[in-house]
Amino acid sequence: MRKLAAGNWKMNGTTAHLTEIAALAATHRAAQVDILICPPATLLAQAAGLAQHSPLMIGAQDCHRSPSGAHTGDISAPMLADAGARAVILGHSERRADHGETSALVADKARAAHAAGLIAVICLGETLAEREGAQTLAVVTEQLRASLPATATAANTVIAYEPVWAIGTGLTPSTAQIAEVHGVLRALLTERLDAAEAAALRLLYGGSVKPANAAGIFAIADVDGALVGGASLTAQDFSPIIAALEAA
Ligand code: PEP
């Protein structure tokens, strides 16, 4: 399995920031891992152009569950693919919280992404209250079962475990906590996929991954890469995280 370093720019970046994508594409021409940058939709086509002929993949941050129709302001998976996206982040906790997205909707969106030939990066994770209430494993179990569509394979799906309380806070779970959740997720995948597929589907950790803590996180069992927010915004910060994953 090729590990994956994925960056989520969220609602950050204008054309001036495309230089970061050009810099990453130039620096990581011979990357030993997969690299995915998900800029805002406004930059997708230009970013995809810059990433052409490089190992960098460009992805989106959300898609609609329908391929087209009367959905003002939404963007469909085939449109993202047409703009040059190869993947789409789905079910990020900010979308679950800000837009009331349920796991059932995330599964529909993932199905739509697969139909358009996109890799679905499905996010899940517990809130601080759920962690403190010893609900973490129950929450991620329910989210995985309900968010994963029947179309999922190791090639077209990535799962990102992102504790909500670790996103953008500088806090990270302990090594044991990450290992516990990733182990449970890996085991749950065998409910849907055969053993080889379940072993090959990439499980990312996300939440305050930085150049300083990346190597430690990548050494944890069943961590096959990272979904990175703030530290993916500049090549200066993201490059050492990619290098740490290559070295893991
Ligand atoms: C994210 O939002 O997916 C994320 C992991 O953010 P950060 O790395 O900034 O915590």
Side-chain angles (χ1 to χ4, degrees), residues 8 10 92 94 162 166-169 206-210 227-231:
N8 173 13
K10 311 191 185 190
H92 190 281
E94 288 152 13
E162 299 206 303
I167 294 177
T169 59
S208 296
V209 176
K210 307 289 176 198
L227 179 55
V228 182

Side-chain angles (χ1 to χ4, degrees), residues 98-120:
D98 298 351
H99 299 271
E101 293 197 358
T102 62
S103 292
L105 177 60
V106 173
D108 283 348
K109 290 184 174 197
R111 218 173 280 115
H114 294 155
L118 298 175
I119 297 169

Side-chain angles (χ1 to χ4, degrees), residues 72-172:
T72 303
D74 282 315
I75 304 176
S76 74
M79 290 170 177
L80 298 176
D82 183 56
R86 308 259 306 272
V88 57
I89 297 171
L90 296 171
H92 190 281
S93 62
E94 288 152 13
R95 291 208 61 88
R96 290 181 190 259
D98 298 351
H99 299 271
E101 293 197 358
T102 62
S103 292
L105 177 60
V106 173
D108 283 348
K109 290 184 174 197
R111 218 173 280 115
H114 294 155
L118 298 175
I119 297 169
V121 180
I122 298 174
C123 303
L124 46 82
E126 81 285 3
T127 62
L128 185 58
E130 289 163 345
R131 166 64 67 181
E132 290 176 346
Q135 292 302 302
T136 298
L137 298 182
V139 167
V140 299
T141 296
E142 190 282 326
Q143 287 179 327
L144 183 70
R145 284 184 176 143
S147 304
L148 197 69
T151 49
T153 66
N156 70 15
T157 303
V158 173
I159 303 294
Y161 167 53
E162 299 206 303
V164 179
W165 53 274
I167 294 177
T169 59
L171 302 172
T172 52

